[in-house]
Amino acid sequence: MAHTRTPRVGLGVWALIIALVALVVLTFLPTPYVIQRPGPVYDTLGTAAGEDGEDVPLIAIEGAETFETTGSLNLLTVQVVGNRERTPSWFELALAWMNSSRAVVPIDAVFPEGVTSEDRDERNAALMVDSQHEATAAALNELGYDTGAEVKVVDAVEGSPAAGVLEENDVITEIDGVKVTSAAELREAIQEGEGTPVELTVIRDGDQQMGVEITPELDTTDGVDTWLIGITLTTEYDFPIDVTIQLDNVGGPSAGMMFALGIVDELTPGAMTGGNDIAGTGTIDAAGTVGPIGGIRQKLYGAVDAGADYFLAPESNCDEVVGHVPDGLQVISTATLEESIDALEVIANDGDVEALPTCTAAAE
């Protein structure tokens, strides 16, 4: 006897067909998001591929005695899946949403309108170079070396308080009679003045010293007040020893702290890690201040994948860390290079690691 298909079965088949067609269509539709996931991990005490593909020390130092060490100081990276030319499919986004080691973020947050993948790569490469210089300065300053820092004007913004007063290549040596050894120090002094005129000592054309007075003006962006004089700065160093950091195909400033720790470890006797596997992240300036970075949740998972037991996290990223720490990883909060070194000393000597600062819901 022949069977006839009931209307309910027919509707179910059509619903399935429509759903499959919709899924196929969504697969090819562009999306306004990209995916962040854990990227490669690099041991600053180990090796990396050189320009010829051969392994070379990730940090190489000449002009000073170096020491053998053990353990690892791993820097973490984040990979971005997608760009403006090719965004992830909705199906890929759905899978990422269900994976705690991945993050789905608006494409504008990673690739601003008008910024190509090449533009982003060039900017990140420049930031990496700057972070290596700042990390070297921070490490050598921590060890008592004179880094010969010069804070130099790159440009004075038209219409700003500095326009017509400061010129390209001016070297700023003092602010209100206090020596300036980094751009960060200069900015901090301007902020502390809260708009009062500042007296800058400047060397122009290599030998002409002069004093100039500039009154900062207030800039409010995204609700944050900042006092500005309208200059772009760079800090140039005359390092007493040669430090070469070999790390291709990685950009951005977030490896700074781990570079600095690696340099300090190689220049001091003994193993600063105590033989432990330690990971971390954070920007750094010549004064040793550790700053926030992006993608910290993905880096936490990258640390676990690399076998690290401890993770040094910037104090300023703590709000993103709380509630997202993978099992088996102990997070230690740090705000300076000195604090990071102190934490490593506790770990190396089997001290009370639980007493070290960590990220909590109440962290400020």
Side-chain angles (χ1 to χ4, degrees):
M1 179 182 295
H3 295 278
T4 58
R5 181 178 297 170
T6 64
R8 179 175 296 176
V9 173
L11 289 174
V13 171
W14 277 110
L16 178 60
I17 293 172
I18 292 171
L20 290 173
V21 171
L23 181 61
V24 171
V25 171
L26 285 175
T27 299
F28 293 99
L29 282 178
T31 62
Y33 301 98
V34 292
I35 299 168
Q36 291 180 334
R37 66 185 182 191
V41 177
Y42 300 92
D43 179 11
T44 61
L45 303 178
T47 60
E51 294 180 359
D52 58 1
E54 296 292 326
D55 282 347
V56 297
L58 196 149
I59 296 175
I61 299 175
E62 294 183 359
E65 183 180 8
T66 58
F67 302 88
E68 293 292 329
T69 189
T70 60
S72 60
L73 288 169
N74 293 317
L75 66 88
L76 296 313
T77 66
V78 175
Q79 284 186 330
V80 177
V81 179
N83 50 46
R84 287 201 174 272
E85 290 77 39
R86 191 274 180 190
T87 59
S89 68
W90 288 103
F91 180 70
E92 290 173 302
L93 294 178
L95 293 178
W97 264 310
M98 294 184 288
N99 189 326
S100 56
S101 71
R102 286 158 170 70
V104 176
V105 297
I107 194 169
D108 288 340
V110 181
F111 297 97
E113 191 70 40
V115 176
T116 66
S117 298
E118 291 75 17
D119 292 336
R120 180 176 179 271
D121 290 343
E122 288 179 5
R123 178 177 180 274
N124 281 338
L127 290 172
M128 170 59 79
V129 172
D130 286 344
S131 77
Q132 292 175 357
H133 290 162
E134 291 295 303
T136 302
L140 296 185
N141 286 333
E142 178 69 24
L143 295 174
Y145 287 89
D146 180 3
T147 58
E150 282 190 346
V151 179
K152 186 173 290 188
V153 176
V154 176
D155 182 43
V157 179
E158 185 177 351
S160 71
V165 180
L166 293 176
E167 298 179 1
E168 181 181 355
N169 293 324
D170 280 351
V171 176
I172 301 175
T173 60
E174 295 181 358
I175 178 170
D176 295 330
V178 178
K179 185 177 180 180
V180 173
T181 59
S182 72
E185 287 180 351
L186 180 62
R187 294 188 188 100
E188 184 177 349
I190 292 172
Q191 298 313 303
E192 290 177 351
E194 297 183 336
T196 57
V198 295
E199 181 76 21
L200 302 179
T201 302
V202 175
I203 296 177
R204 182 170 295 168
D205 298 327
D207 58 1
Q208 182 183 355
Q209 181 171 306
M210 64 182 70
V212 298
E213 184 178 272
I214 302 177
T215 302
E217 60 183 14
L218 184 63
D219 174 80
T220 302
T221 302
D222 296 329
V224 178
D225 291 341
T226 307
W227 292 98
L228 302 173
I229 61 174
I231 53 175
T232 304
L233 297 170
T234 186
T235 305
E236 296 184 356
Y237 301 98
D238 183 16
F239 295 131
I241 61 178
D242 292 328
V243 179
T244 302
I245 298 176
Q246 176 68 52
L247 190 60
D248 293 334
N249 302 319
V250 175
S254 64
M257 181 183 69
M258 300 309 291
F259 287 147
L261 288 173
I263 295 168
V264 171
D265 197 0
E266 292 197 19
L267 287 171
T268 51
M272 195 161 62
T273 67
N276 291 283
D277 294 318
I278 296 166
T281 188
T283 65
I284 202 163
D285 61 24
T289 303
V290 175
I293 52 84
I296 194 165
R297 295 179 187 175
Q298 287 68 55
K299 291 178 180 179
L300 290 167
Y301 283 93
V304 171
D305 292 342
D309 300 311
Y310 305 96
F311 186 97
L312 298 171
E315 182 182 74
S316 43
N317 278 120
C318 269
D319 58 337
E320 301 174 76
V321 171
V322 175
H324 299 278
V325 180
D327 292 338
L329 188 65
Q330 181 158 354
V331 173
I332 298 163
S333 171
T334 180
T336 66
L337 177 61
E338 183 179 10
E339 288 182 5
S340 299
I341 293 172
D342 290 343
L344 292 183
E345 184 177 357
V346 172
I347 294 170
N349 295 321
D350 296 323
D352 186 4
V353 179
E354 297 295 331
L356 292 172
T358 189
C359 291
T360 66
E364 297 181 354

